[in-house]
Amino acid sequence: MTDPEFFQTIAQPTTAEFKDKGSRFLAYAYPVSSAEQFKEKLQQLKKEHPKANHHCFAYRLGIDGNNFRASDDGEPSSSAGKPILGQIDSKKLTNVAVVVVRYFGGTLLGVPGLINAYKTATVMALQLTPTIQKPIEVLYELQFDYTRMNEVMTLVKQHDCSIQSQQQQLFMLLTIGIPKARLEEMLYRLKDMHYVTVQRLQK
């Protein structure tokens, strides 16, 4: 990635269709932030397309480049998942998943034909959504008395932090993502709030 404070992902889910010798390849591209989120999308697609022959996919998550998966789902080795992942990588995207659902049309395409079909379907789906830059965030957990909620929320908004989860017990437990570019400033401000306990979470 060129800018270590940002990553590139897709703005919204899209779908595209590619046909070759009677086979239909339906590509679904999603912005995702976790493997669990991706699994939900895949299960959903399997329910929507129970009669499809294959549900091949690839995803890349995070910014270190190590969290990815590619599946041929019964197609010849490296003829589906790898070409899908190749297209995600060629656009330098992360936090992106693409599932290509195939309905077999009766004519074998051969490995080069399959590679081309999965690649083309993925390219088409990724072309339909704008690429956006998102700030790389560091996760922190904040613990404070719920009467201080407004002050903490004001600070969170001012520093463009995202809210990951929120729990109310005897106190508030808030998990936030702080943009890397604003980390120092945000932690400095939080230190001033003596009633907030701050803990970094490993992402």
Side-chain angles (χ1 to χ4, degrees), residues 90-109:
S90 77
K91 287 179 85 94
K92 296 186 166 58
L93 299 171
T94 190
N95 285 16
V96 171
V98 177
V99 182
V100 181
V101 176
R102 182 190 182 188
Y103 286 92
F104 182 55
T107 305
L108 292 171
L109 300 181

Side-chain angles (χ1 to χ4, degrees), residues 50-65:
K51 294 197 167 118
N53 303 78
H54 306 277
H55 300 81
C56 305
F57 67 81
Y59 65 71
R60 189 173 286 284
L61 298 167
I63 43 154
D64 58 9

Side-chain angles (χ1 to χ4, degrees), residues 23 74 106:
S23 277

Side-chain angles (χ1 to χ4, degrees), residues 134-149:
K134 280 192 160 185
I136 291 168
E137 293 182 328
V138 187
L139 291 188
Y140 276 81
E141 191 177 76
L142 312 181
Q143 192 177 311
F144 52 91
D145 191 273
Y146 65 90
T147 55
R148 304 285 197 163
M149 190 69 175

